[in-house]
Amino acid sequence: MNDLTSSQKMANLSLSCAMKGGFVLILLVAATFVSAKKSGDVTELQIGVKHKPASCPIQAHRGDRIKVHYRGKLIDGTVFDSSFERGDPIEFELGTGQVIKGWDQGLLGMCVGEKRKLKIPAKMGYGEQGSPPTIPGGATLIFDTELVAVNGNGSGAEEEDIEKNEL
């Protein structure tokens, strides 16, 4: 007896369609994830600590005036700006919107002398409009950063470099 009522057939058909629709949705989400991973784009801020000093007496907090060396790159490796090459770190007040949101969040808690790699999604960088001509709209940004000083207090390494260069 394999006779199904019309309501049972409709229920089976609905379940079958729902399962196929769910499967298609899962495939779309997976494809989007793989595509984003493949291209190097990120959807959330990623913070990688590359070097942390043995001791951390000075950390960066919201409202602190900090000095940071940085190298900014696009996901294809193109460098669009670098304070390292200029020998002049940027100075700003952390967490107050003077820089892109990815920096305001990604540098919090950093120790003087610490090095971090920040992968910043477009929504926390320059958004869909970008910053022409060097940063295209919707660009994920990658920054290699080094905290040089907090409220005028540094590790002393920068002062040593300046003294060596002056001799």
Side-chain angles (χ1 to χ4, degrees), residues 112-135:
V112 170
E114 184 175 336
K115 296 177 183 179
R116 289 185 182 177
K117 177 177 265 186
L118 305 177
K119 288 188 178 180
I120 302 174
K123 67 183 179 184
M124 297 180 79
Y126 294 100
E128 292 307 313
Q129 74 278 1
S131 184
T134 53
I135 301 172

Side-chain angles (χ1 to χ4, degrees), residues 34-164:
V34 168
S35 172
K37 280 294 194 196
K38 203 181 285 186
S39 69
D41 283 333
V42 296
T43 57
E44 298 299 323
L45 175 64
Q46 294 179 4
I47 302 169
V49 176
K50 299 303 177 186
H51 169 76
K52 192 156 189 157
S55 69
C56 184
I58 305 170
Q59 280 188 315
H61 301 285
R62 176 182 277 272
D64 286 339
R65 188 130 194 96
I66 67 172
K67 273 188 174 181
V68 179
H69 261 308
Y70 66 92
R71 180 174 298 104
K73 300 180 282 188
L74 301 176
I75 57 173
D76 68 1
T78 303
V79 175
F80 57 83
D81 194 12
S82 178
S83 71
F84 289 109
E85 278 70 18
R86 286 191 305 273
D88 186 25
I90 186 173
E91 186 172 353
F92 63 96
E93 192 173 316
L94 184 60
T96 61
Q98 294 180 1
V99 293
I100 60 174
K101 192 180 286 188
W103 272 39
D104 268 344
Q105 292 181 17
L107 302 177
L108 286 171
M110 200 168 176
C111 302
V112 170
E114 184 175 336
K115 296 177 183 179
R116 289 185 182 177
K117 177 177 265 186
L118 305 177
K119 288 188 178 180
I120 302 174
K123 67 183 179 184
M124 297 180 79
Y126 294 100
E128 292 307 313
Q129 74 278 1
S131 184
T134 53
I135 301 172
T140 291
L141 307 175
I142 300 170
F143 284 95
D144 298 312
T145 63
E146 180 178 356
L147 184 61
V148 175
V150 175
N151 296 323
N153 298 309
S155 64
E158 184 181 70
E159 289 81 11
E160 289 174 20
D161 287 344
I162 291 170
E163 289 174 17
K164 286 178 189 174

Side-chain angles (χ1 to χ4, degrees), residues 15-36:
L15 180 60
S16 175
C17 287
M19 288 175 62
K20 286 179 185 173
F23 182 71
V24 169
L25 180 61
I26 289 170
L27 283 177
L28 286 173
V29 169
T32 301
F33 179 73
V34 168
S35 172

